[in-house]
């Protein structure tokens, strides 16, 4: 299946054959950006009928682009089983922007063979430099945003579909998509360099809790409220 840009607006609840593909892309992209979602949430988000969303989900399931999961929430609901959530599979993520993963992996393997792990780490650090290079500029452009929200915008602009979630200990930076996840599966130095760069621009210790590269649905970084005393110096 290949996704293409929508060129026309389909009235709510309708879907002529020529419009199926763009609408299906909207469903998949909504899951990419917002994370695993129920059919009802997708219908509301995309202004479609639940029946239309389920039809597209059925097709995406058949193609292997999404998978149905049991919801994690244990909140008390009404009668009946909790609604399933739909998440992108590895194949579904491939449909967006990972065409060059094989080439990137081969290049990093060559770099490791010729320069060792040190060369790979240096490459990963250089790649993650976009975080420090763009952080102050984005913060100056958007003074209304908190530091974690600035980071989310920096990552989103780089294709990570990032957002911030409040948690009791502080905040979590959640990346619903990772454009280098397949490469990072073999070369975790990419994830480690990003985490270190986040820590340095925020001036505090952060902890990576989950990564798409290692099978989690979302890359999640915990940002505690209180800065530590040993990482207050920002990257220049």
């Amino acid at each position: 299946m290949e996704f293409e840009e929508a060129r026309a607006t389909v009235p709510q609840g309708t879907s002529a054959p020529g419009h199926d593909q763009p609408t299906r892309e909207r469903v998949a992209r909504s899951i990419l950006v917002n994370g695993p979602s129920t059919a009802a949430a997708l219908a509301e988000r995309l202004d479609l009928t639940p029946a239309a969303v389920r039809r597209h989900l059925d097709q995406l399931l058949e193609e292997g682009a999404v998978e149905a999961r049991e919801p994690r929430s244990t909140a008390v609901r009404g009668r009946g089983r909790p609604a399933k959530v739909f998440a992108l599979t590895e194949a579904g993520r491939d449909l967006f922007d990972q065409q060059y993963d094989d080439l990137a992996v081969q290049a990093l393997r060559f770099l490791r063979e010729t320069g060792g792990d040190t060369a790979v780490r240096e490459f990963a650090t250089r790649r993650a430099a976009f975080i420090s290079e763009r952080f102050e500029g984005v913060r100056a452009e958007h003074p209304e945003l908190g530091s974690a929200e600035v980071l989310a915008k920096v990552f989103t602009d780089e294709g990570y579909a990032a957002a911030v979630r409040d948690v009791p200990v502080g905040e979590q930076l959640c990346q619903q998509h990772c454009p280098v996840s397949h490469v990072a599966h073999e070369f975790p130095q990419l994830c480690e360099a990003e985490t270190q760069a986040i820590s340095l621009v925020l001036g505090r210790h952060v902890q990576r809790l989950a990564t798409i590269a290692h099978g989690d649905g979302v890359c999640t970084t915990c940002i505690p409220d209180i800065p530590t005393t040993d990482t207050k110096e920002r990257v220049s």
Side-chain angles (χ1 to χ4, degrees):
M1 176 183 67
E2 295 181 358
F3 285 154
E4 58 187 54
E5 290 296 325
R7 295 182 177 83
T9 300
V10 182
Q12 179 175 348
T14 67
S15 184
H19 293 125
D20 277 0
Q21 194 69 20
T23 305
R24 197 165 301 137
E25 180 192 3
R26 290 177 60 214
V27 173
R29 189 172 292 278
S30 182
I31 297 172
L32 171 71
V33 173
N34 297 283
S37 306
T38 63
L42 287 164
E44 181 177 359
R45 194 183 298 145
L46 299 173
D47 195 25
L48 297 168
T49 65
V53 168
R54 290 191 187 96
R55 182 166 58 79
H56 287 296
L57 286 171
D58 286 342
Q59 184 64 36
L60 290 167
L61 284 166
E62 183 178 339
E63 294 168 349
V66 302
E67 61 183 3
R69 299 177 180 175
E70 296 294 336
R72 290 185 177 182
S73 174
T74 57
V76 176
R77 294 170 51 95
R79 293 184 178 180
R81 297 182 62 184
K84 290 184 180 295
V85 296
F86 296 88
L88 283 183
T89 62
E90 184 174 310
R93 294 179 188 278
D94 283 345
L95 299 172
F96 288 94
D97 62 356
Q98 294 174 333
Q99 304 95 321
Y100 302 106
D101 283 349
D102 287 345
L103 177 61
V105 168
Q106 290 175 22
L108 282 174
R109 286 173 181 168
F110 177 80
L111 184 62
R112 183 173 57 193
E113 291 169 3
T114 56
D117 288 338
T118 298
V120 175
R121 285 194 296 271
E122 289 176 356
F123 172 83
T125 299
R126 180 173 298 186
R127 183 193 169 277
F130 75 87
I131 299 171
S132 59
E133 290 170 353
R134 298 208 57 231
F135 183 82
E136 293 298 340
V138 172
R139 183 159 66 174
E141 293 173 5
H142 300 275
E144 75 281 5
L145 300 180
S147 295
E149 293 171 318
V150 170
L151 267 176
K153 179 163 179 54
V154 169
F155 274 98
T156 295
D157 290 345
E158 291 291 322
Y160 287 78
V164 176
R165 180 172 62 184
D166 291 326
V167 293
V169 297
E171 296 171 304
Q172 285 184 348
L173 178 67
C174 301
Q175 298 156 223
Q176 305 289 352
H177 180 54
C178 176
V180 297
S181 61
H182 288 189
V183 183
H185 179 74
E186 182 170 341
F187 294 95
Q189 295 94 331
L190 296 173
C191 298
E192 294 164 3
E194 287 180 5
T195 304
Q196 183 179 22
I198 292 170
S199 178
L200 289 174
V201 297
L202 293 179
R204 69 191 71 180
H205 172 74
V206 301
Q207 183 177 5
R208 187 63 69 91
L209 303 178
T211 62
I212 294 171
H214 290 88
D216 300 298
V218 180
C219 292
T220 307
T221 304
C222 181
I223 303 172
D225 280 330
I226 302 174
T228 58
T229 58
D230 58 345
T231 58
K232 288 186 177 181
E233 187 173 341
R234 294 185 183 275
V235 174
S236 58

Short mmCIF file of all heavy atoms in Angstrom, two decimals, residues 158-206:
data_model
loop_
_atom_site.label_atom_id
_atom_site.label_comp_id
_atom_site.label_asym_id
_atom_site.label_seq_id
_atom_site.Cartn_x
_atom_site.Cartn_y
_atom_site.Cartn_z
N GLU A 158 11.41 17.80 13.12
CA GLU A 158 12.34 16.83 12.55
C GLU A 158 11.66 15.51 12.21
O GLU A 158 12.32 14.54 11.86
CB GLU A 158 13.49 16.57 13.54
CG GLU A 158 14.43 17.74 13.72
CD GLU A 158 15.26 18.03 12.48
OE1 GLU A 158 15.67 17.06 11.81
OE2 GLU A 158 15.49 19.22 12.18
N GLY A 159 10.31 15.47 12.33
CA GLY A 159 9.57 14.29 11.92
C GLY A 159 9.24 13.31 13.02
O GLY A 159 8.84 12.18 12.74
N TYR A 160 9.36 13.72 14.30
CA TYR A 160 9.13 12.79 15.41
C TYR A 160 7.71 12.81 15.96
O TYR A 160 7.37 11.99 16.81
CB TYR A 160 10.09 13.10 16.56
CG TYR A 160 11.52 12.71 16.30
CD1 TYR A 160 12.34 13.48 15.51
CD2 TYR A 160 12.06 11.56 16.88
CE1 TYR A 160 13.67 13.13 15.28
CE2 TYR A 160 13.38 11.20 16.66
CZ TYR A 160 14.18 11.99 15.86
OH TYR A 160 15.49 11.64 15.64
N ALA A 161 6.87 13.74 15.54
CA ALA A 161 5.49 13.83 16.04
C ALA A 161 5.47 13.79 17.56
O ALA A 161 4.88 12.90 18.17
CB ALA A 161 4.62 12.71 15.46
N ALA A 162 6.11 14.77 18.18
CA ALA A 162 6.31 14.77 19.63
C ALA A 162 5.27 15.63 20.34
O ALA A 162 4.72 16.58 19.79
CB ALA A 162 7.71 15.27 19.98
N ALA A 163 5.01 15.28 21.61
CA ALA A 163 4.09 16.03 22.46
C ALA A 163 4.56 15.88 23.90
O ALA A 163 5.41 15.04 24.22
CB ALA A 163 2.66 15.54 22.30
N VAL A 164 3.98 16.70 24.78
CA VAL A 164 4.36 16.69 26.20
C VAL A 164 3.17 16.25 27.02
O VAL A 164 2.03 16.67 26.77
CB VAL A 164 4.83 18.09 26.65
CG1 VAL A 164 5.14 18.09 28.15
CG2 VAL A 164 6.06 18.51 25.87
N ARG A 165 3.43 15.39 28.00
CA ARG A 165 2.39 14.93 28.90
C ARG A 165 2.84 15.18 30.33
O ARG A 165 3.97 14.89 30.71
CB ARG A 165 2.13 13.43 28.69
CG ARG A 165 1.06 12.85 29.59
CD ARG A 165 0.74 11.43 29.18
NE ARG A 165 1.89 10.54 29.32
CZ ARG A 165 1.90 9.26 28.97
NH1 ARG A 165 0.82 8.74 28.40
NH2 ARG A 165 2.97 8.53 29.15
N ASP A 166 1.92 15.74 31.14
CA ASP A 166 2.22 15.96 32.56
C ASP A 166 2.10 14.65 33.33
O ASP A 166 1.16 13.88 33.12
CB ASP A 166 1.26 17.00 33.16
CG ASP A 166 1.49 18.39 32.61
OD1 ASP A 166 2.65 18.72 32.32
OD2 ASP A 166 0.52 19.15 32.47
N VAL A 167 3.06 14.42 34.22
CA VAL A 167 3.05 13.25 35.10
C VAL A 167 3.38 13.73 36.51
O VAL A 167 3.89 14.84 36.69
CB VAL A 167 4.06 12.18 34.64
CG1 VAL A 167 3.65 11.59 33.31
CG2 VAL A 167 5.46 12.75 34.55
N PRO A 168 3.09 12.93 37.54
CA PRO A 168 3.32 13.39 38.92
C PRO A 168 4.74 13.85 39.20
O PRO A 168 4.96 14.77 40.02
CB PRO A 168 2.96 12.15 39.75
CG PRO A 168 1.96 11.43 38.92
CD PRO A 168 2.40 11.63 37.51
N VAL A 169 5.74 13.26 38.57
CA VAL A 169 7.13 13.62 38.87
C VAL A 169 7.65 14.74 37.98
O VAL A 169 8.79 15.18 38.14
CB VAL A 169 8.05 12.39 38.74
CG1 VAL A 169 7.68 11.33 39.76
CG2 VAL A 169 8.01 11.83 37.32
N GLY A 170 6.86 15.20 37.03
CA GLY A 170 7.31 16.24 36.12
C GLY A 170 6.57 16.19 34.80
O GLY A 170 5.36 16.32 34.75
N GLU A 171 7.32 15.96 33.72
CA GLU A 171 6.73 15.88 32.39
C GLU A 171 7.35 14.71 31.63
O GLU A 171 8.43 14.24 31.95
CB GLU A 171 6.99 17.19 31.61
CG GLU A 171 6.32 18.40 32.23
CD GLU A 171 6.78 19.69 31.56
OE1 GLU A 171 8.00 19.93 31.53
OE2 GLU A 171 5.91 20.45 31.08
N GLN A 172 6.64 14.28 30.61
CA GLN A 172 7.16 13.27 29.70
C GLN A 172 7.13 13.80 28.28
O GLN A 172 6.12 14.34 27.83
CB GLN A 172 6.34 11.98 29.77
CG GLN A 172 6.60 11.15 31.02
CD GLN A 172 5.84 9.84 30.99
OE1 GLN A 172 4.97 9.62 30.16
NE2 GLN A 172 6.17 8.96 31.92
N LEU A 173 8.26 13.67 27.60
CA LEU A 173 8.34 13.98 26.19
C LEU A 173 8.01 12.69 25.43
O LEU A 173 8.74 11.70 25.55
CB LEU A 173 9.74 14.47 25.82
CG LEU A 173 9.99 14.78 24.33
CD1 LEU A 173 9.16 15.98 23.89
CD2 LEU A 173 11.47 15.02 24.07
N CYS A 174 6.91 12.70 24.69
CA CYS A 174 6.43 11.50 24.00
C CYS A 174 6.56 11.69 22.50
O CYS A 174 5.97 12.61 21.94
CB CYS A 174 4.97 11.22 24.38
SG CYS A 174 4.71 10.99 26.14
N GLN A 175 7.34 10.82 21.86
CA GLN A 175 7.54 10.88 20.41
C GLN A 175 6.77 9.72 19.78
O GLN A 175 7.14 8.56 19.93
CB GLN A 175 9.04 10.78 20.10
CG GLN A 175 9.85 11.94 20.68
CD GLN A 175 11.31 11.57 20.88
OE1 GLN A 175 11.90 11.91 21.90
NE2 GLN A 175 11.91 10.88 19.92
N GLN A 176 5.69 10.06 19.10
CA GLN A 176 4.83 9.03 18.52
C GLN A 176 5.45 8.39 17.28
O GLN A 176 5.00 7.33 16.83
CB GLN A 176 3.48 9.64 18.14
CG GLN A 176 2.76 10.34 19.28
CD GLN A 176 2.22 9.37 20.31
OE1 GLN A 176 2.26 8.16 20.10
NE2 GLN A 176 1.74 9.87 21.43
N HIS A 177 6.47 9.02 16.74
CA HIS A 177 7.11 8.50 15.53
C HIS A 177 8.61 8.72 15.66
O HIS A 177 9.05 9.68 16.28
CB HIS A 177 6.57 9.23 14.30
CG HIS A 177 7.17 8.76 13.01
ND1 HIS A 177 7.17 7.45 12.62
CD2 HIS A 177 7.77 9.45 12.00
CE1 HIS A 177 7.75 7.34 11.43
NE2 HIS A 177 8.13 8.54 11.04
N CYS A 178 9.39 7.82 15.11
CA CYS A 178 10.84 7.98 15.07
C CYS A 178 11.33 7.68 13.67
O CYS A 178 11.26 6.53 13.22
CB CYS A 178 11.51 7.05 16.08
SG CYS A 178 13.33 7.14 16.00
N PRO A 179 11.82 8.68 12.94
CA PRO A 179 12.24 8.46 11.56
C PRO A 179 13.48 7.59 11.43
O PRO A 179 13.84 7.19 10.32
CB PRO A 179 12.49 9.88 11.03
CG PRO A 179 12.72 10.71 12.24
CD PRO A 179 11.89 10.10 13.33
N VAL A 180 14.15 7.31 12.55
CA VAL A 180 15.37 6.47 12.49
C VAL A 180 15.22 5.21 13.34
O VAL A 180 16.20 4.60 13.73
CB VAL A 180 16.61 7.27 12.94
CG1 VAL A 180 16.88 8.43 12.00
CG2 VAL A 180 16.49 7.75 14.38
N SER A 181 13.99 4.80 13.63
CA SER A 181 13.78 3.71 14.58
C SER A 181 14.42 2.40 14.11
O SER A 181 14.99 1.66 14.92
CB SER A 181 12.28 3.51 14.84
OG SER A 181 11.59 3.17 13.65
N HIS A 182 14.31 2.09 12.83
CA HIS A 182 14.89 0.83 12.34
C HIS A 182 16.41 0.84 12.47
O HIS A 182 17.02 -0.17 12.81
CB HIS A 182 14.49 0.60 10.89
CG HIS A 182 13.05 0.23 10.72
ND1 HIS A 182 12.53 -0.20 9.53
CD2 HIS A 182 12.02 0.23 11.59
CE1 HIS A 182 11.23 -0.44 9.67
NE2 HIS A 182 10.91 -0.19 10.91
N VAL A 183 17.02 1.99 12.21
CA VAL A 183 18.47 2.10 12.33
C VAL A 183 18.87 2.04 13.80
O VAL A 183 19.85 1.38 14.17
CB VAL A 183 18.96 3.41 11.68
CG1 VAL A 183 20.48 3.49 11.73
CG2 VAL A 183 18.47 3.50 10.24
N ALA A 184 18.11 2.73 14.65
CA ALA A 184 18.43 2.77 16.08
C ALA A 184 18.26 1.41 16.74
O ALA A 184 18.84 1.16 17.80
CB ALA A 184 17.56 3.81 16.78
N HIS A 185 17.47 0.53 16.13
CA HIS A 185 17.33 -0.83 16.69
C HIS A 185 18.69 -1.52 16.73
O HIS A 185 19.00 -2.22 17.70
CB HIS A 185 16.35 -1.63 15.84
CG HIS A 185 16.15 -3.04 16.33
ND1 HIS A 185 15.43 -3.33 17.47
CD2 HIS A 185 16.62 -4.22 15.86
CE1 HIS A 185 15.44 -4.64 17.67
NE2 HIS A 185 16.16 -5.21 16.70
N GLU A 186 19.49 -1.34 15.70
CA GLU A 186 20.83 -1.93 15.67
C GLU A 186 21.88 -1.00 16.27
O GLU A 186 22.89 -1.47 16.80
CB GLU A 186 21.22 -2.28 14.24
CG GLU A 186 22.58 -2.95 14.13
CD GLU A 186 22.87 -3.50 12.74
OE1 GLU A 186 21.90 -3.69 11.96
OE2 GLU A 186 24.05 -3.75 12.44
N PHE A 187 21.62 0.31 16.22
CA PHE A 187 22.59 1.28 16.72
C PHE A 187 21.93 2.17 17.78
O PHE A 187 21.52 3.31 17.51
CB PHE A 187 23.12 2.14 15.57
CG PHE A 187 23.93 1.36 14.57
CD1 PHE A 187 23.32 0.86 13.42
CD2 PHE A 187 25.27 1.11 14.78
CE1 PHE A 187 24.06 0.12 12.50
CE2 PHE A 187 26.02 0.38 13.87
CZ PHE A 187 25.41 -0.12 12.73
N PRO A 188 21.81 1.66 19.02
CA PRO A 188 21.17 2.43 20.10
C PRO A 188 21.92 3.71 20.45
O PRO A 188 21.40 4.54 21.20
CB PRO A 188 21.16 1.44 21.27
CG PRO A 188 22.27 0.48 20.97
CD PRO A 188 22.29 0.35 19.48
N GLN A 189 23.11 3.87 19.93
CA GLN A 189 23.86 5.11 20.17
C GLN A 189 23.06 6.33 19.70
O GLN A 189 23.21 7.43 20.25
CB GLN A 189 25.21 5.08 19.45
CG GLN A 189 26.17 4.01 19.96
CD GLN A 189 26.08 2.72 19.17
OE1 GLN A 189 25.01 2.39 18.63
NE2 GLN A 189 27.17 1.98 19.08
N LEU A 190 22.20 6.15 18.69
CA LEU A 190 21.38 7.26 18.21
C LEU A 190 20.42 7.73 19.30
O LEU A 190 20.25 8.93 19.52
CB LEU A 190 20.61 6.84 16.96
CG LEU A 190 21.44 6.49 15.73
CD1 LEU A 190 20.55 5.93 14.63
CD2 LEU A 190 22.21 7.70 15.23
N CYS A 191 19.78 6.78 19.98
CA CYS A 191 18.86 7.11 21.08
C CYS A 191 19.62 7.72 22.26
O CYS A 191 19.17 8.68 22.89
CB CYS A 191 18.10 5.88 21.54
SG CYS A 191 17.06 5.12 20.28
N GLU A 192 20.78 7.14 22.57
CA GLU A 192 21.58 7.62 23.70
C GLU A 192 22.04 9.06 23.48
O GLU A 192 22.02 9.88 24.41
CB GLU A 192 22.78 6.70 23.90
CG GLU A 192 22.39 5.28 24.33
CD GLU A 192 23.53 4.28 24.16
OE1 GLU A 192 24.65 4.71 23.76
OE2 GLU A 192 23.30 3.09 24.40
N ALA A 193 22.43 9.38 22.24
CA ALA A 193 22.87 10.74 21.95
C ALA A 193 21.73 11.73 22.06
O ALA A 193 21.91 12.86 22.56
CB ALA A 193 23.49 10.79 20.55
N GLU A 194 20.54 11.34 21.60
CA GLU A 194 19.38 12.22 21.74
C GLU A 194 19.08 12.49 23.21
O GLU A 194 18.81 13.62 23.61
CB GLU A 194 18.15 11.60 21.07
CG GLU A 194 18.18 11.61 19.56
CD GLU A 194 16.95 10.96 18.97
OE1 GLU A 194 16.03 10.60 19.75
OE2 GLU A 194 16.89 10.80 17.74
N THR A 195 19.10 11.43 24.02
CA THR A 195 18.81 11.59 25.45
C THR A 195 19.81 12.52 26.11
O THR A 195 19.45 13.39 26.93
CB THR A 195 18.83 10.21 26.14
OG1 THR A 195 17.90 9.34 25.48
CG2 THR A 195 18.44 10.34 27.61
N GLN A 196 21.09 12.36 25.78
CA GLN A 196 22.11 13.23 26.35
C GLN A 196 21.90 14.67 25.92
O GLN A 196 22.04 15.61 26.73
CB GLN A 196 23.50 12.75 25.93
CG GLN A 196 24.62 13.57 26.55
CD GLN A 196 26.00 13.06 26.15
OE1 GLN A 196 26.14 12.39 25.12
NE2 GLN A 196 27.01 13.36 26.94
N ALA A 197 21.54 14.88 24.66
CA ALA A 197 21.31 16.24 24.17
C ALA A 197 20.12 16.88 24.87
O ALA A 197 20.14 18.07 25.20
CB ALA A 197 21.10 16.22 22.66
N ILE A 198 19.06 16.10 25.10
CA ILE A 198 17.90 16.61 25.84
C ILE A 198 18.31 17.04 27.24
O ILE A 198 17.93 18.11 27.73
CB ILE A 198 16.79 15.55 25.90
CG1 ILE A 198 16.20 15.30 24.51
CG2 ILE A 198 15.68 15.96 26.87
CD1 ILE A 198 15.27 14.11 24.44
N SER A 199 19.08 16.20 27.89
CA SER A 199 19.54 16.49 29.25
C SER A 199 20.34 17.79 29.29
O SER A 199 20.16 18.63 30.19
CB SER A 199 20.39 15.33 29.77
OG SER A 199 20.90 15.60 31.05
N LEU A 200 21.21 17.98 28.32
CA LEU A 200 22.07 19.16 28.33
C LEU A 200 21.30 20.45 28.07
O LEU A 200 21.55 21.46 28.72
CB LEU A 200 23.20 18.98 27.31
CG LEU A 200 24.26 17.94 27.68
CD1 LEU A 200 25.23 17.72 26.54
CD2 LEU A 200 25.01 18.37 28.94
N VAL A 201 20.36 20.45 27.12
CA VAL A 201 19.65 21.69 26.84
C VAL A 201 18.69 22.06 27.97
O VAL A 201 18.42 23.24 28.20
CB VAL A 201 18.87 21.63 25.50
CG1 VAL A 201 19.82 21.45 24.34
CG2 VAL A 201 17.79 20.57 25.52
N LEU A 202 18.22 21.06 28.71
CA LEU A 202 17.31 21.34 29.83
C LEU A 202 18.05 21.61 31.12
O LEU A 202 17.47 22.13 32.07
CB LEU A 202 16.34 20.16 30.02
CG LEU A 202 15.34 19.91 28.91
CD1 LEU A 202 14.47 18.70 29.24
CD2 LEU A 202 14.46 21.13 28.67
N GLY A 203 19.32 21.22 31.17
CA GLY A 203 20.09 21.43 32.39
C GLY A 203 19.67 20.53 33.53
O GLY A 203 19.75 20.91 34.70
N ARG A 204 19.25 19.33 33.20
CA ARG A 204 18.84 18.38 34.24
C ARG A 204 18.96 16.95 33.71
O ARG A 204 19.00 16.73 32.50
CB ARG A 204 17.41 18.64 34.70
CG ARG A 204 16.35 18.31 33.66
CD ARG A 204 14.98 18.82 34.06
NE ARG A 204 14.94 20.27 33.95
CZ ARG A 204 13.86 21.00 34.24
NH1 ARG A 204 12.77 20.40 34.67
NH2 ARG A 204 13.88 22.31 34.10
N HIS A 205 19.01 16.02 34.63
CA HIS A 205 19.04 14.62 34.24
C HIS A 205 17.67 14.21 33.74
O HIS A 205 16.64 14.54 34.33
CB HIS A 205 19.43 13.74 35.43
CG HIS A 205 19.31 12.27 35.16
ND1 HIS A 205 20.21 11.59 34.37
CD2 HIS A 205 18.38 11.36 35.55
CE1 HIS A 205 19.85 10.32 34.30
NE2 HIS A 205 18.75 10.15 35.00
N VAL A 206 17.63 13.50 32.61
CA VAL A 206 16.39 12.95 32.09
C VAL A 206 16.59 11.45 31.89
O VAL A 206 17.73 10.97 31.83
CB VAL A 206 15.97 13.61 30.76
CG1 VAL A 206 15.79 15.11 30.93
CG2 VAL A 206 16.98 13.31 29.65
#
